[in-house]
Amino acid sequence: MKMKAVISALAFNVPPDVYDNHWFEQRIETTDEWIKTRTGITERHFAFEGAMTDIALPAAQKVLAQRGITAEDIDCIIIATVTPDRVFPSSSAILQRKLGAKNAWGFDLSAACSGFVFALVTASKLVESGAVRNVLLVGADKMSSILNFEDRATCVLFGDGGGCVLLEPGTDDDHGVMDFILKMDGNGEPNLYQKAGGSLHPPTLETVTNKEHYVFQEGQPVFKAAVKGMADVSYEIMVRNNLTADDIAWLVPHQANLRIIDATANRMGLSKDKVMINIQKFGNTTAGTIPICLSELYEQGKLKRGDYVVIASFGAGYTWGAILYKWWLEPTA
Ligand code: UT7
């Protein structure tokens, strides 16, 4: 029988320091009320020192401990992120060193807020092909390193954090990634991007002076594209697998805006109690949102073997997608 890859351990980590909306009120022209009603965010975590892999490392270590394996047992490390420690080498190489996972190869995957979704499909296929036995898959971002804290249109939206899952062959072909829809539209670039820092505009005194190394976003067009994109693929993956809202245990959506999440849930006909939401605590942690959501749900004992979970995202690129994931790991409690 052909085995599917399954998540066999998972954990998340956010930096300890919490910044609530009032913190921003003291620095820029904004209000707690505006941020809460337009986004759903109350607070987020930032680490103004250290690197993205410093956020990922404790999550990865928890995953190893949870599964009862050592770093040397890891075959491959994939990190979905837009805030790698450096342009090169890859953050997966840096995490490999920090963990002591000396038998692992790996790479970084850049798909912004859809990074974890794209990487979960990629990693599952690697395991299912037999090319590797297990993959440590991280979705993490240190958004504070690319935020302009004078730009109220973006700085209030994001947070630092990430999660990690271990993927390995399951016990059957009836759990794991059952179906996926992944999409990309490069026409979205001008609405959500980092203007300088890459090969097109390498860092210069001018790019730094012009604050071009930060997140730039035209909120409204991204909002419209996200509402349509995330709702379309989430609905389609449910329907084309002959499932209804009753069959879905959880929608685990990217946490960019509560209104986008609500639109997706409404389109699927899902009641609110089946939608994982933690944007109020963490903001948008980009590639971190989904593994953080999954880890919180699992810690709370809310994921049971056989549960259908729809995982959905939308982000820069544009990139978006949905995964129908049938949960395998038994609850801890
Ligand atoms: O995760 C990757 C994908 N990203 C997303 O999915 C984000 C999609 N976009 C959004 O979530 C929303 O567009 C935002 C939350 C970014 C913005 O919400 P909005 O309802 O689209 O607001 P807006 O950009 O249309 O701005 C409305 C008003 C503007 O003022 P005027 O022109 O009406 O006077 C803004 O200047 O709100 C103003 N504004 C703010 N006011 C207080 C913008 N940011 C702030 C702020 N505090 N922080």
Side-chain angles (χ1 to χ4, degrees):
M1 182 172 47
K2 204 176 171 319
M3 302 289 179
K4 278 195 173 295
V6 293
I7 294 171
S8 59
L10 68 167
F12 77 100
N13 181 50
V14 289
D17 295 340
V18 181
Y19 295 81
D20 66 12
N21 293 342
H22 301 294
W23 185 79
F24 287 92
E25 285 180 331
Q26 289 155 23
R27 283 162 180 82
I28 50 171
E29 207 175 303
T30 192
T31 60
D32 174 50
E33 172 70 13
W34 190 96
I35 302 171
K36 270 193 202 149
T37 53
R38 298 286 177 131
T39 70
I41 300 165
T42 302
E43 58 190 32
R44 73 290 287 146
H45 296 237
F46 290 132
F48 288 108
E49 286 179 4
M52 180 277 294
T53 57
D54 294 326
I55 296 171
L57 182 65
Q61 286 167 331
K62 279 185 221 163
V63 161
L64 296 179
Q66 202 182 96
R67 184 67 184 88
I69 59 172
T70 68
E72 292 179 15
D73 295 323
I74 300 299
D75 293 333
C76 181
I77 299 173
I78 302 176
I79 304 186
T81 190
V82 292
T83 49
D85 292 12
R86 302 180 189 280
V87 174
F88 75 93
S90 72
S91 293
S92 67
I94 295 170
L95 188 65
Q96 185 240 29
R97 170 176 53 77
K98 288 182 177 177
L99 267 177
K102 64 181 187 190
N103 298 314
W105 62 284
F107 56 92
D108 295 357
L109 188 152
S110 174
C113 299
S114 298
F116 185 82
V117 169
F118 282 27
L120 180 56
V121 172
T122 306
S124 294
K125 296 297 162 192
L126 269 176
V127 172
E128 287 164 15
S129 73
V132 295
R133 161 122 196 118
N134 62 41
V135 180
L136 200 60
L137 169 55
V138 172
D141 269 299
K142 187 170 179 292
M143 295 305 291
S144 60
S145 66
I146 55 167
L147 286 181
N148 177 356
F149 281 92
E150 292 166 2
D151 177 15
R152 69 176 186 173
T154 52
C155 69
V156 302
L157 305 175
F158 295 92
D160 296 344
C164 178
V165 305
L166 183 70
L167 276 168
E168 61 179 288
T171 46
D172 55 47
D173 67 350
D174 192 36
H175 296 85
V177 174
M178 306 305 289
D179 193 9
F180 63 91
I181 302 171
L182 302 182
K183 302 261 190 185
M184 188 155 72
D185 178 4
N187 292 305
E189 181 187 7
N191 293 330
L192 184 48
Y193 70 124
Q194 193 175 340
K195 293 183 178 176
S199 58
L200 180 61
H201 297 299
T204 62
L205 207 51
E206 199 186 347
T207 63
V208 173
T209 307
N210 294 340
K211 301 186 187 303
E212 291 175 5
H213 296 268
Y214 295 122
V215 174
F216 171 85
Q217 176 169 252
E218 291 283 1
Q220 285 209 0
V222 179
F223 183 87
K224 283 183 193 147
V227 164
K228 180 163 168 36
M230 214 162 89
D232 279 355
V233 290
S234 303
Y235 178 74
E236 188 185 336
I237 206 151
M238 182 175 79
V239 170
R240 83 178 188 188
N241 285 280
N242 300 316
L243 300 172
T244 68
D246 288 344
D247 302 313
I248 307 297
W250 287 102
L251 169 66
V252 176
H254 174 51
Q255 311 279 310
N257 190 315
L258 195 52
R259 292 180 287 146
I260 301 173
I261 296 171
D262 286 346
T264 302
N266 287 341
R267 180 77 183 282
M268 296 173 74
L270 276 187
S271 54
K272 279 204 160 49
D273 58 337
K274 289 184 170 185
V275 185
M276 177 54 181
I277 294 169
N278 58 18
I279 190 172
Q280 70 282 1
K281 294 189 290 184
F282 302 125
N284 180 352
T285 56
T286 305
T289 60
I290 287 167
I292 293 175
C293 283
L294 287 173
S295 301
E296 276 212 310
L297 273 180
Y298 179 66
E299 276 177 13
Q300 293 162 6
K302 292 178 179 167
L303 287 166
K304 295 182 294 297
R305 185 171 286 189
D307 278 353
Y308 276 117
V309 181
V310 172
I311 300 171
S313 68
F314 188 94
Y318 300 133
T319 53
W320 69 106
I323 293 174
L324 179 67
Y325 185 90
K326 199 167 175 189
W327 196 257
W328 177 81
L329 189 59
E330 296 288 9
T332 39

